[in-house]
Amino acid sequence: MASRLLHRLRHVLAGDGPGGEAAAGPEAEQFPESSELEDDDAEGLSSRLSGTLSFTSAEDDDDNDDDEDEDEEAIADPLAPGDEASGEDADRSLPADGQRTGQHLAKQLQDFWKKSRNTLVPQRLLFEVTSANVVKDPPSKYVLYTLTVTGPGPPDRQPAQISRRYSDFERLHRNLQRQFRAPMAAISFPRKRLRRNFTAETIARRSRAFEQFLGHLQAVPELCHAPDLQDFFVLPELRRAQSLTCTGLYREALALWTNAWQLQAQLGNPSGPDRPLLTLAGLAVCHQELEDPGEARACCERALQLLGDKNLHPFLAPFLEAHVRLSWRLGLDKRQSEARLQGLQEAGLTPMPPPSLKELLIKEVLD
């Protein structure tokens, strides 16, 4: 439908001479493809962002509200029929009927875009910096960028979220450059600055650049499967979740384990041979400690499906033991898991009793 409306709109606007070109003028400008934005390209910067970015700056806090309002106006009306940029020439060149038809088609396309942008399923990973905050942690001071990660799948799937510093992005860029010199040569990265690192302008530029940087990495098959890129997304979340679980902060840990699981689902690539299993173990432990045995058992069942017939895997016996115990508590069938666990013990493949999932989490080293 969108393509048909665009075709008709172009036909109406272009069919009556140079006025049509004038009317289309404001839409001809495209977003810059390069991540490296020049310092003197500040004018119109907000219109190049996605429209939902918010940030705080130690120097420009008073201007944040005005900047966000301008962003929303620029994005919310991509084909505004009353756009003044076309000037009086466009009004004179278009007949009244043609102008009304063009405005009607633009309104239709606008409505379609507003309705579909929340329902269309992305065909690739999308990255969006939704906030950037200056963090003062004496003696250091840095900007923490929060990104949402949305991948192919149902439109109601909850996007994952990560928060990273400039140094995290720079480390990723440096590691990938060492390993993949040729593919990385075509991918730009925002350079370091000696001053003005905490201005709203610099933060906005870097936010846009980081979105493009991650999008470019995911577009190159040789890079999107790189372990360093997977670690960048998942490893910090797993380490924090593991630490909180080991200290008994189960509710806070549950949020991190859930986000780590969503990240791995969005990325679609294994972030490590055992990381999905470790994530399910963390989820099962937290749900169990928070008195939600049904969810804990569901996590165990998912893990057992992933393990399949890997009888020698160190995660197998702890998941079987937890599944048996949770099934007994819920009054559900536990015979299959019980028989398999007994077979492993009789074959000497696991100690009796096997280690618990919590013990497994405490001993697991994440590197």
Side-chain angles (χ1 to χ4, degrees):
M1 177 179 176
S3 61
R4 291 199 300 270
L5 288 173
L6 276 171
H7 177 75
R8 291 170 60 194
L9 180 60
R10 288 172 181 158
H11 178 75
V12 170
L13 296 180
D16 292 291
E21 295 178 4
E27 296 302 316
E29 182 182 357
Q30 299 295 321
F31 287 161
E33 288 298 323
S34 172
S35 304
E36 196 65 69
L37 300 175
E38 297 301 327
D39 287 340
D40 58 358
D41 188 27
E43 186 176 358
L45 177 66
S46 63
S47 66
R48 299 180 183 180
L49 296 172
S50 60
T52 60
L53 168 67
S54 64
F55 53 81
T56 59
S57 166
E59 302 179 21
D60 298 285
D61 286 339
D62 295 338
D63 297 328
N64 284 347
D65 293 339
D66 294 339
D67 291 342
E68 289 180 12
D69 291 341
E70 291 173 5
D71 284 348
E72 291 296 335
E73 289 181 12
I75 294 299
D77 228 3
L79 289 175
D83 199 332
E84 297 298 329
S86 57
E88 297 179 358
D89 292 340
D91 294 337
R92 287 196 300 265
S93 62
L94 281 174
D97 292 343
Q99 189 174 7
R100 283 195 297 271
T101 305
Q103 291 176 353
H104 178 67
L105 290 173
K107 183 66 167 61
Q108 283 184 305
L109 184 59
Q110 232 179 294
D111 293 340
F112 173 79
W113 176 77
K114 288 178 180 178
K115 291 177 182 178
S116 64
R117 63 177 175 172
N118 294 325
T119 58
L120 293 178
V121 178
Q123 299 303 311
R124 58 183 178 84
L125 278 177
L126 300 177
F127 305 98
E128 182 180 17
V129 177
T130 55
S131 67
N133 301 296
V134 177
V135 179
K136 296 179 180 179
D137 186 16
S140 64
K141 179 181 175 182
Y142 58 88
V143 180
L144 193 65
Y145 298 88
T146 299
L147 300 94
T148 57
V149 183
T150 307
D156 58 348
R157 174 187 284 181
Q158 186 72 17
Q161 191 175 83
I162 60 173
S163 295
R164 300 290 184 266
R165 300 169 55 172
Y166 178 90
S167 58
D168 297 321
F169 286 96
E170 185 185 36
R171 188 181 307 111
L172 171 64
H173 180 252
R174 187 170 59 249
N175 291 341
L176 291 177
Q177 271 190 324
R178 280 200 302 262
Q179 301 171 51
F180 306 96
R181 187 172 299 275
M184 288 297 295
I187 297 178
S188 57
F189 186 78
R191 61 184 178 273
K192 278 188 175 180
R193 299 173 64 98
L194 296 178
R195 57 188 180 85
R196 296 177 59 82
N197 284 300
F198 301 102
T199 64
E201 179 185 335
T202 299
I203 293 172
R205 290 178 186 275
R206 284 184 173 174
S207 299
R208 171 65 172 159
F210 289 148
E211 292 175 352
Q212 291 182 336
F213 173 65
L214 294 177
H216 292 163
L217 293 180
Q218 284 292 326
V220 181
E222 190 177 359
L223 298 175
C224 71
H225 298 288
D228 281 291
L229 183 57
Q230 302 297 315
D231 287 348
F232 171 82
F233 285 112
V234 179
L235 193 55
E237 315 305 307
L238 293 179
R239 284 174 172 164
R240 289 170 55 209
Q242 182 189 43
S243 176
L244 290 173
T245 304
C246 293
T247 54
L249 298 174
Y250 299 112
R251 194 167 300 280
E252 294 84 350
L254 179 60
L256 289 174
W257 288 119
T258 302
N259 188 60
W261 181 256
Q262 290 170 346
L263 272 171
Q264 294 171 80
Q266 301 284 16
L267 293 170
N269 300 317
S271 55
D274 293 331
R275 286 181 188 172
L277 294 172
L278 183 70
T279 306
L280 288 169
L283 288 169
V285 169
C286 291
H287 280 303
Q288 184 176 343
E289 294 292 340
L290 294 172
E291 298 299 324
D292 192 353
E295 285 294 328
R297 183 177 182 272
C299 292
C300 292
E301 288 188 333
R302 180 63 188 271
L304 292 174
Q305 291 174 358
L306 292 177
L307 284 164
D309 57 357
K310 300 176 182 177
N311 289 336
L312 298 178
H313 200 288
F315 282 80
L316 179 59
F319 272 116
L320 285 171
E321 187 271 338
H323 189 262
V324 169
R325 182 165 31 84
L326 291 165
S327 297
W328 177 83
R329 181 177 174 182
L330 294 167
L332 301 174
D333 185 18
K334 58 184 175 62
R335 288 173 295 178
Q336 185 175 354
S337 296
E338 201 169 35
R340 190 174 181 186
L341 178 59
Q342 184 177 353
L344 292 176
Q345 292 172 335
E346 291 175 351
L349 298 178
T350 186
M352 187 183 302
S356 68
L357 287 176
K358 191 173 182 180
E359 292 172 338
L360 196 70
L361 283 176
I362 294 173
K363 295 177 181 179
E364 186 70 17
V365 178
L366 286 167
D367 51 15

